[in-house]
Amino acid sequence: MTDLASEPDLSAGPDLRAGLEAILLVVDEPVAEVTLAQVLERPVHEVGRVLRELSAEYTEAGRGFDLREVAGGWRFYTRAECASLVERFVRDGQQTRLTQAALETLAVVAYRQPVSRARVAAIRGVNSDGVMRTLVTRGLVEEAGTEPESQAVLYRTSSYFLERIGLRGLDELPELAPFLPDDMESLEEQKQ
């Protein structure tokens, strides 16, 4: 028969170390010890002690990441000796750029959303079905319901789109007017 008193209480949740690691893994800016202590419901001095222990352990183990105290808080960073590998990884990931057609389609969706495929095709002057599927597959565009009259699927940009271009919201998209030709009427006449 096992002694129940010696087994850890798993109903209480993860231990302090695991909790700190989980939180610090998802933050994008340093988090203060006070904030971590409040979230984890532990004394600040205990949180600080465990953070320093974790930092020392990662350094001693030669991990590719480091736990540092900077700007009044704690955050994971890549170790300096791994910088060239990370840089190569990031640059290689950028090789899968969007085509001109995909960029045009994405711009139409971003500025006219919610918008149907037919409307995108009318604005661009070419069929955009394949490009739209690519944008949906990459997570930049998502379905946004249906048009009441035609039952056409409507599309909008996703939160991933905002994250990739570094905007908090669509209201931060630049105005289009400065990028349009001064004489739109003559441009339209030239097209005809």
Side-chain angles (χ1 to χ4, degrees):
M1 188 159 20
T2 60
D3 181 14
L4 294 178
S6 65
E7 292 185 21
D9 180 12
L10 299 178
S11 66
D15 72 355
L16 179 57
R17 297 167 66 85
L20 286 167
E21 289 173 330
I23 292 168
L24 291 170
L25 192 62
V26 298
V27 301
D28 56 359
E29 58 186 44
V31 181
E33 289 179 14
V34 171
T35 304
L36 292 167
Q38 289 171 343
V39 170
L40 296 166
E41 299 176 338
R42 301 295 277 271
V44 176
H45 72 277
E46 184 180 0
V47 168
R49 178 185 51 80
V50 172
L51 286 167
R52 287 181 234 322
E53 288 173 4
L54 286 171
S55 179
E57 286 176 28
Y58 300 149
T59 299
E60 186 179 322
R63 299 283 178 98
F65 58 91
D66 187 16
L67 179 58
R68 291 188 218 152
E69 184 177 16
V70 293
W74 290 83
R75 181 176 176 208
F76 284 120
Y77 288 89
T78 303
R79 288 218 183 268
E81 54 268 21
C82 297
S84 62
L85 297 173
V86 173
E87 183 179 352
R88 187 170 57 217
F89 173 78
V90 170
R91 266 192 282 131
D92 288 348
Q94 292 178 351
Q95 298 304 320
T96 56
R97 295 184 185 270
L98 294 175
T99 63
Q100 185 66 33
L103 289 171
E104 290 172 6
T105 303
L106 190 55
V108 170
V109 173
Y111 282 95
R112 299 286 187 161
Q113 61 187 304
V115 64
S116 68
R117 286 184 186 192
R119 181 73 178 136
V120 172
I123 292 169
R124 288 192 62 231
V126 294
N127 184 318
S128 300
D129 290 351
V131 175
M132 191 68 83
R133 277 193 296 275
T134 298
L135 294 173
V136 169
T137 301
R138 289 191 178 186
L140 296 167
V141 171
E142 62 190 12
E143 291 186 11
T146 56
E147 207 168 59
E149 305 85 41
S150 66
Q151 296 302 307
V153 175
L154 296 173
Y155 294 90
R156 66 177 173 226
T157 54
S158 65
S159 57
Y160 179 65
F161 163 78
L162 293 173
E163 179 184 327
R164 294 296 296 168
I165 63 171
L167 300 178
R168 286 183 293 234
L170 293 172
D171 57 328
E172 291 185 351
L173 282 171
E175 292 294 322
L176 281 179
F179 300 104
L180 298 175
D182 292 333
D183 191 6
M184 285 298 293
E185 289 177 18
S186 67
L187 186 62
E188 288 297 319
E189 289 171 9
Q190 289 175 359
K191 283 178 123 178
Q192 297 174 359

